[in-house]
Amino acid sequence: MITRKYLVTRTSYAVLTSAIALVINFLLPRLVPGNPVYTILLTKYHYLPPNQIKLLESEFGLQNPNLLYQFQRYIIELFHGNLGISYYYFPATVTNVIATHLPWTLFLLGTATAISSLVGVIIGKYIGWHSGTKGETAISALFMGLTSIPFFWIAVIFQLIFALYITHLLPISGAYSVTLVPSWNVAFILSVLRHSILPIFTLVLVSFPGFSLTMRNTMVNQNKEDYLTLAKAKGIPERLIVKNYAARNAVLPVATHIVLAFGYVVAGAFFVEVVFSYPGIGYALYVAVTSLDYPLVDGIFLVITLTVIIANFFADILYAYLDPRVELK
Amino acid sequence: MSFPILSIKKLNTVFHTPSGDVMALRNLSLEVNKGEVLAIVGESGSGKSTLGFSILRLIENPGEIISGSIVFHSPERDVHILDLSLPQLREFRWVNISMIFQSAMNVLNPIARIEKQFIDTFEAHNIEGDYQERINKYLEIAGLGKQVKKMFPHELSGGMKQRVNIALALSCEPSILIADEPTTALDVVVQKEILSSIMRIKDELNLTVIFITHDLSVASSIADRLAIFYAGRPVEVGSADKILRSPQHPYTTLLLSSVISLNTNREASLKTMGGSPPDLKKRIPGCSFLERCPIGEEACSTYDLFPAKVHGDVFVECIHPGKLEFEMEVNK
Amino acid sequence: MLPEVGPLETKTLKTKSTTGEVSFLRGALGNKKFFSGFIILLAFTTIGIIGPFIAPYNPYNTSFPSWLPPTSAHLMGTDYIGHDVFTWFVIGTGTSLFVGAAVSLITTFLGTAAGLVSGYYSGMVDNILMRTVDVLLIMPTFPLLVILAVYLPPTNTTTIIILGVLSWPFMSRVIRSQVLTLKERPFISAAKLSGYSGKKILFSEIFPHLLPLIVINAVYIVVGAIVAQAGLAFFGLGNLASVNWGTSLYWAQSSDAIIYNAWWWIIPPGLSIAIIGIAANLFGSGLNEYVGQRSGEVR
């Protein structure tokens, strides 16, 4: 049930968080000791080319030392989609670089999140209903272990295995075969799918156990709910009790968990991209960080942060729509 | 003339806890007659709710029914509830015996519309006919309008929820309705309304009602017969009129005097009610009320499992039935 | 109404008086999960502390051949420029644990303080703190970590401060909800009725009951911080000259250790992080079980 109050609260949270992100993005480069332009140019070229100074200064709006004026410029540029020029991918603009890399990340993230939430919820429902059995205890322990392993290490181990021991079965780097030109033909699409198997599998493997454990816990708590007792007393078949009473009620908190974990999975996708040299936004961020491409780092930070905030916002709205009780809380 | 519709014999229900088994029901035997309102009265921990749950076999781990029999006498045949297989039990529940639970607030599935909660019950029992018409009928009997069907539980008040529960409990036309403290969670005005609805419906549908309560005054206002529970056993069972007029068990006497405080010496009665019920983890030799009983004596502790003494149609578990009431009368 | 007579009160008092930290720890070690978690964590801490003393070589000594597989002279082989991997591992354990512990100290302090204050003094303070927490929790952590690490000086201290300051919101929420439940418990009302001051109730009545929860969360944060630090290092952020599990993995990744089949370089740090994560989970859920059991017995 979506009430106006709920909508206002959620919107204000999203706006406030976005504003904080904007301010951080604006202030951080300017708080670094010394003129950011000099810092940037020195790290990039180790000397100060005068024409570059002018260019960058105008870009930062630095001719006017008034921070408010600079902030105004920054916001205006932002609304024109202008995030500056990347050093590493020169002469491409940051916006351009992000636009070419983002789809790959969205593809990985979308597929992996869909698979891991589906698998996680189904397994969690099952082990939750059979909690206390030996099998359940073993599976829960295994899952707890899986959630403790860092994303990037799993990715590295997979790469090690598939590079050295099961060679040529699956590609271990890139998003498609280098011999192909991107286009909508079967060979290319198959190549993309084959290249995505290991990154997606890694992401799923490390994220689904967490969803399963949350689902398990909420399922176990369902057993204490009075409406389950009534359902039993009414003579509802167990299969339907699990499905319509326990699982339906249990899955809603899990949805919140999946949304909250979204930021975590995004970070995971970044690492997986770096390990598998997958040309997504995470890989671009890695390149930007290691080559001190400050405009690109700033741009990616902003875009990713805003994307996650907006995704969170829509998930909250969807959640309220799905759960008739939300407005009460 | 009364015929038993439910016979409970030597029922033992325990709860396994880390520090030992709690005997919630101890060798309990009880009969429920067709068409009557039997009120089960006792303080918390006396086993009254456990009995309700045991009848429908809703006792779950760590609880367990360890022995005894519960027989439901339907016109066609006798059903031994404890011997039913799980699929048989599922089919048996609700169409023969249904229940209204104490926690009116939480027994409805929070994410399903009210009508859905009726329909899945009908489907579970292969009931035929027009579901909508049937839902309307029972909502009306329970004093609710049709519009409730389309609502979610959180849109209803506590009293309305309990009415929905009543409608649900009646909707498969059971012979016995167990009402487990159906009004405890509600405020006083609503309590009265719910009680009178249950009584009206009982007559309309020729139901047998097992009414579980801790409140003797509520019980006395609606019951044909009373079963006074103490420490997992009924200590006095019989016609409500007789028990209320002349209680035989000292516990009943004290209970009654604490409720009807105007015509007895309240102070005396409350003082004698000190102490606490016995620890049900231990075997209780003799009378379970001995520790708190003002007239208890040596002989009470040597009794093992009282043969219930008959006093008219009232059964009492005491070797001195009526003695305490007599003394109180004399002292007045 | 019947008089409700229960034996609850007396029992509570009886069992509570026997508590003490030593007997508590001894009891908790009876729990298998807690015991195994505790032992593993203790083992790593020991390695971390004695690491510099048992390290066979100088970590910056590059005089050995590159890409040597494990031998008796190099238990974990050598890396791309001939560092002894075992030396890096034992010294790195100490650094990683130190970073984790330092972060946990900051986070636990901030989180507990915020949680206590906002849970106990409801109203304005609570409102402001919890709205801040809400907003901070929406913010995705990793990009924020990256951008801060990019602009701030690359030292371990920076990493510690960034991680410590960013991870308190979740903990404060956990603590707050526990304080809210504790506030409803009879012994707090009793303390209030007997005229204790708010501060005294907070520290001598509520705080001790929060300790297990705080310890569990502190341990989780140690592990979380180790993973986060390793993640940052893996991304080429933070102090890359520092010897720790994260930098080991960074250098392995950036020097294509996979192509050289240098599993001896890749497996130890990652596996250690995984094992420590599992140990923290065992430690936490074991302690939870034990505390649950104890309060169950008291009841």
Side-chain angles (χ1 to χ4, degrees), chain B residues 223-255:
Chain B
D224 301 315
R225 287 204 308 146
L226 292 178
I228 310 293
F229 268 48
Y230 190 79
R233 286 178 67 78
V235 291
E236 181 160 6
V237 183
S239 107
D241 283 349
K242 280 193 192 162
I243 292 181
L244 293 171
R245 209 173 313 129
S246 125
Q248 299 297 308
H249 196 282
Y251 177 66
T252 318
T253 311
L254 292 172
L255 204 58

Side-chain angles (χ1 to χ4, degrees), chain A residues 104 107 171 174-177 179-197 200 278:
Chain A
W104 292 111
F107 167 60
Y176 48 87
S177 170
T179 55
L180 295 171
V181 179
S183 64
W184 288 107
N185 59 44
V186 179
F188 180 73
I189 292 173
L190 278 180
S191 175
V192 166
L193 290 180
R194 266 170 53 83
H195 280 78
S196 70
I197 290 177
I200 289 176
Y278 201 86

Side-chain angles (χ1 to χ4, degrees), chain A residues 227-298:
Chain A
Y227 48 80
L228 235 68
T229 312
L230 178 71
K232 276 173 206 153
K234 286 199 300 185
I236 307 287
E238 180 171 319
R239 184 177 51 84
L240 294 181
I241 294 183
V242 177
K243 184 173 156 247
N244 291 341
Y245 288 74
R248 285 265 167 90
N249 278 290
V251 84
L252 289 162
V254 179
T256 325
H257 173 85
I258 291 174
V259 172
L260 275 178
F262 186 59
Y264 170 73
V265 183
V266 169
F270 285 10
F271 287 113
V272 166
E273 284 173 11
V274 171
V275 173
F276 291 107
S277 309
Y278 201 86
I281 203 92
Y283 187 73
L285 182 63
Y286 176 71
V287 168
V289 166
T290 44
S291 63
L292 296 175
D293 187 345
Y294 290 97
L296 191 54
V297 173
D298 293 347

Side-chain angles (χ1 to χ4, degrees), chain A residues 296-316:
Chain A
L296 191 54
V297 173
D298 293 347
I300 291 177
F301 163 77
L302 200 62
V303 169
I304 290 300
T305 304
L306 295 184
T307 311
V308 172
I309 293 170
I310 292 167
N312 259 318
F313 173 75
F314 282 112
D316 276 338

Side-chain angles (χ1 to χ4, degrees), chain A:
Chain A
M1 214 57 63
I2 301 168
T3 58
R4 175 177 293 189
K5 191 181 163 225
Y6 183 79
L7 211 60
V8 169
T9 329
R10 289 289 121 192
T11 313
S12 59
Y13 279 177
V15 169
L16 199 59
T17 319
S18 308
I20 293 175
L22 283 178
V23 170
I24 291 175
N25 202 31
F26 168 77
L27 277 184
L28 216 47
R30 288 167 176 79
L31 283 183
V32 176
N35 185 326
V37 171
Y38 296 161
T39 320
I40 289 166
L41 290 175
L42 275 174
T43 43
K44 177 77 180 164
Y45 302 105
H46 305 288
Y47 73 103
L48 301 174
N51 57 331
Q52 293 279 349
I53 293 181
K54 273 257 150 54
L55 196 83
L56 272 176
E57 273 189 341
S58 72
E59 201 162 273
F60 275 92
L62 287 183
Q63 292 96 336
N64 188 333
N66 184 343
L67 266 188
L68 269 178
Y69 167 78
Q70 289 182 25
F71 189 65
Q72 198 184 342
R73 281 284 310 271
Y74 163 82
I75 295 289
I76 291 170
E77 293 295 322
L78 205 64
F79 273 93
H80 287 105
N82 183 5
L83 294 167
I85 291 165
S86 162
Y87 300 154
Y88 184 85
Y89 293 97
F90 188 83
T93 63
V94 169
T95 317
N96 252 329
V97 175
I98 291 175
T100 50
H101 286 78
L102 196 58
W104 292 111
T105 302
L106 293 181
F107 167 60
L108 280 192
L109 268 181
T111 324
T113 311
I115 295 175
S116 62
S117 32
L118 204 68
V119 171
V121 164
I122 290 171
I123 296 181
K125 176 172 116 178
Y126 188 78
I127 60 176
W129 194 250
H130 296 278
S131 78
T133 61
K134 268 199 176 143
E136 184 270 334
T137 320
I139 294 177
S140 294
L142 176 73
F143 282 7
M144 234 171 229
L146 278 176
T147 54
S148 320
I149 306 176
F151 273 110
F152 54 90
W153 190 67
I154 288 268
V156 170
I157 293 299
F158 272 138
Q159 206 180 29
L160 191 67
I161 293 170
F162 281 88
L164 293 160
Y165 302 107
I166 319 176
T167 42
H168 306 301
L169 182 66
L170 286 172
I172 55 161
S173 92
Y176 48 87
S177 170
V178 284
T179 55
L180 295 171
V181 179
S183 64
W184 288 107
N185 59 44
V186 179
F188 180 73
I189 292 173
L190 278 180
S191 175
V192 166
L193 290 180
R194 266 170 53 83
H195 280 78
S196 70
I197 290 177
L198 278 183
I200 289 176
F201 187 69
T202 311
L203 278 175
V204 169
L205 191 69
V206 189
S207 55
F208 94 86
F211 301 157
S212 277
L213 290 175
T214 316
M215 182 69 184
R216 174 201 169 272
N217 294 343
T218 51
M219 277 299 274
V220 170
N221 287 334
Q222 287 294 312
N223 265 325
K224 294 175 205 140
E225 293 290 350
D226 293 324
Y227 48 80
L228 235 68
T229 312
L230 178 71
K232 276 173 206 153
K234 286 199 300 185
I236 307 287
E238 180 171 319
R239 184 177 51 84
L240 294 181
I241 294 183
V242 177
K243 184 173 156 247
N244 291 341
Y245 288 74
R248 285 265 167 90
N249 278 290
V251 84
L252 289 162
V254 179
T256 325
H257 173 85
I258 291 174
V259 172
L260 275 178
F262 186 59
Y264 170 73
V265 183
V266 169
F270 285 10
F271 287 113
V272 166
E273 284 173 11
V274 171
V275 173
F276 291 107
S277 309
Y278 201 86
I281 203 92
Y283 187 73
L285 182 63
Y286 176 71
V287 168
V289 166
T290 44
S291 63
L292 296 175
D293 187 345
Y294 290 97
L296 191 54
V297 173
D298 293 347
I300 291 177
F301 163 77
L302 200 62
V303 169
I304 290 300
T305 304
L306 295 184
T307 311
V308 172
I309 293 170
I310 292 167
N312 259 318
F313 173 75
F314 282 112
D316 276 338
I317 302 295
L318 186 71
Y319 180 53
Y321 176 76
L322 289 176
D323 189 344
R325 292 163 299 180
V326 159
E327 73 170 319
L328 293 176
K329 287 172 190 165

Side-chain angles (χ1 to χ4, degrees), chain B residues 279-332:
Chain B
D279 182 357
L280 294 175
K281 282 175 196 155
K282 299 194 183 99
R283 224 181 73 85
I284 303 163
C287 177
S288 55
F289 189 61
L290 179 58
E291 225 179 286
R292 299 163 88 182
C293 184
I295 57 163
E297 54 182 67
E298 191 73 35
C300 300
S301 66
T302 56
Y303 251 22
D304 197 25
L305 279 185
F306 284 72
K309 272 211 174 186
V310 184
H311 173 89
D313 66 341
V314 178
F315 295 72
V316 190
E317 284 194 349
C318 181
I319 47 177
H320 301 300
K323 187 179 170 201
L324 180 63
E325 202 216 4
F326 177 75
E327 282 179 3
M328 289 170 84
E329 287 295 323
V330 172
N331 292 344
K332 209 157 49 173

